Amino acid sequence: MQGLARCAMIVVMLGLPLDVAAQGGPAGVSTEFVSTSTMAETVTVFGEVVAGRESAVAARVGGVAQEVPVRVGDRVAKGDLLASLDTELLEIEMAQAQAQIAIAEAGIAVSAARLDRAEKAFRRAETLRQNSTIAEAQLEERASDFAEANGSQQEAQARIQASINALEQARYRLDNAVVRAPFDAVVLEVATEVGQFIPAGSQVATLIDTSALEIEANVPARYVGALREDQMVTATTDIGDTVSLALRAILPTEFAATRTRPVRFALADPDANIAVGQTVTLDVPISAPREVLVVPKDALVQAQGGWSVFVNQDGKAMPRTVEIGVALNNSFEILSGLSEGDEVVVRGNERLRPGQDIAPTGPPAEVAPAAGAPDETGSKG
């Protein structure tokens, strides 16, 4: 009898966990809270990276290239040397101009002395004529000499001014015998070589300012009015990189065939890895920003005739039918069915039953998509 009692007790003890397991405990799930977010409806347009500042740097004076230290692809800072010309002839012209100034200054001294003598002789003649000591003809002769000396003085002054101008021109040519970068840039083209004659005004190098790159996109004219200077726009490159942009200018032209207008966007990050001519895709806002209720994409479960979510209601998973709107990153706009602050299940919802006990573990570090969750276009994933 005692043996039978022991066996019965063992059977009861072994059967107890089986009964508990059959009843089932709370399901472990991850949850997040429904929140609000600012969004704007967007339209996708294509844009191209363009140079905000590109310059074909020219020589101001002509001459033979003596040094061309840059190559295509070099980065140069403002003031860096692009090319220098042979200055031997320019130095000779400078010396000649200085010599002409010295000659003109000597001529002024001579003409000043002549003018002084002629003026004194004329004044004496005037005094003597008043006393009838000299004839009228002699007075006229002294007056003529005085006028001639005065003219010579003015001519000498003009000659020295011309010599000064010639010196300034020679100095200008000598100072500009070097061609320097007008801004920080990358060298796109070098148009001259050492020993080549460079005419004044001809191109030496082409520079592009990589810190002033912009995006130009042809935006449908009906959406241009929704653009705001304080609203950021996201662009995606062909390799999947995203770039933040800010509206800089809406150009006052329109393409009649496409009913689009060119719009320029400035880069928020000047160090973005993009190049002139590269094509990008822009999500351009077509409506004013608005506050919307959003739910994580992984909370959505496809139900008969629409979408639903499981809400944590006093520790139980309660289904809630929802109406979704547009996608926003990894979330969807909720048009009806939820309120801000509702706690929804984002992981483990594919196994839940209505009213089942749940044990939320908080927001997951990385959530796998729920079964039947929509993709960002609102279709079934």
Side-chain angles (χ1 to χ4, degrees):
M1 293 293 294
Q2 291 179 352
L4 292 174
R6 288 193 196 95
C7 289
M9 183 170 292
I10 291 171
V11 169
V12 170
M13 293 177 66
L14 292 174
L16 183 60
L18 294 175
D19 292 339
V20 173
Q23 294 174 0
V29 295
S30 296
T31 61
E32 290 189 21
F33 292 98
V34 178
S35 61
T36 58
S37 180
T38 302
M39 70 164 295
E41 294 182 72
T42 61
V43 64
T44 299
V45 299
F46 292 101
E48 181 180 353
V49 181
V50 296
R53 182 165 56 172
E54 182 176 337
S55 174
V57 183
R60 295 188 178 185
V61 298
V64 177
Q66 187 176 51
E67 183 182 6
V68 184
V70 295
R71 296 182 298 173
V72 172
D74 285 353
R75 288 188 174 273
V76 293
K78 180 179 180 180
D80 282 355
L81 181 68
L82 301 179
S84 63
L85 308 181
D86 179 62
T87 60
E88 183 177 0
L89 178 59
L90 300 177
E91 290 170 354
I92 293 172
E93 291 176 353
M94 185 83 167
Q96 285 179 336
Q98 290 172 333
Q100 289 298 323
I101 286 182
I103 293 172
E105 288 175 344
I108 275 210
V110 171
S111 63
R114 183 179 302 164
L115 177 61
D116 182 63
R117 290 196 303 270
E119 183 179 10
K120 289 178 179 177
F122 175 64
R123 301 303 176 201
R124 285 197 302 270
E126 282 186 320
T127 302
L128 294 174
R129 183 68 187 90
Q130 290 173 359
N131 298 328
S132 301
T133 306
I134 64 172
E136 184 70 25
Q138 291 178 311
L139 176 62
E140 290 176 359
E141 184 180 354
R142 300 293 186 273
S144 178
D145 292 342
F146 176 53
E148 183 180 349
N150 192 42
S152 297
Q153 174 71 4
Q154 293 176 358
E155 183 182 355
Q157 290 174 341
R159 189 178 296 111
I160 194 170
Q161 185 60 50
S163 299
I164 291 174
N165 292 340
L167 178 63
E168 291 299 321
Q169 289 177 0
R171 183 176 289 116
Y172 173 85
R173 288 192 290 270
L174 187 59
D175 290 343
N176 287 281
V178 291
V179 182
R180 300 189 180 276
F183 49 81
D184 297 350
V186 173
V187 180
L188 284 185
E189 180 186 1
V190 178
T192 189
E193 297 289 344
V194 172
Q196 181 179 343
F197 180 78
I198 304 175
S202 64
Q203 179 182 344
V204 173
T206 301
L207 306 182
I208 183 171
D209 184 357
T210 55
S211 67
L213 297 182
E214 295 183 336
I215 307 292
E216 182 171 310
N218 294 328
V219 178
R222 63 183 181 275
Y223 298 141
V224 167
L227 296 175
R228 299 289 182 270
E229 291 187 6
D230 57 348
Q231 192 171 18
M232 300 302 293
V233 174
T234 300
T236 305
T237 67
D238 51 1
I239 60 174
D241 293 339
T242 57
V243 182
S244 294
L245 311 174
L247 174 68
R248 187 184 70 79
I250 300 173
L251 303 186
T253 58
E254 182 169 323
F255 300 107
T258 58
R259 297 296 179 94
T260 58
R261 295 183 184 178
V263 179
R264 286 291 185 101
F265 297 89
L267 295 173
D269 179 12
D271 297 324
N273 185 23
I274 58 176
V276 172
Q278 185 175 4
T279 301
V280 297
T281 304
L282 289 77
D283 294 324
V284 178
I286 60 175
S287 65
R290 57 192 176 92
E291 291 290 323
V292 296
L293 197 67
V294 294
V295 68
K297 169 186 173 182
D298 299 305
L300 295 168
V301 178
Q302 193 167 26
Q304 187 174 4
W307 299 97
S308 68
V309 299
F310 280 103
V311 179
N312 180 11
Q313 187 171 324
D314 299 326
K316 295 183 179 297
M318 303 304 295
R320 191 85 59 84
T321 300
V322 296
E323 182 183 0
I324 64 174
V326 297
L328 180 65
N329 296 325
N330 288 321
S331 301
F332 274 85
E333 177 188 12
I334 294 297
L335 301 177
S336 65
L338 292 173
S339 301
E340 185 176 5
D342 285 344
E343 186 179 4
V344 295
V345 178
V346 295
R347 187 168 62 179
N349 47 4
E350 69 278 2
R351 300 186 304 272
L352 292 179
R353 302 185 304 275
Q356 182 177 354
D357 291 336
I358 56 175
T361 59
E366 185 173 344
V367 178
D375 59 25
E376 293 189 1
T377 64
S379 63
K380 182 178 177 180

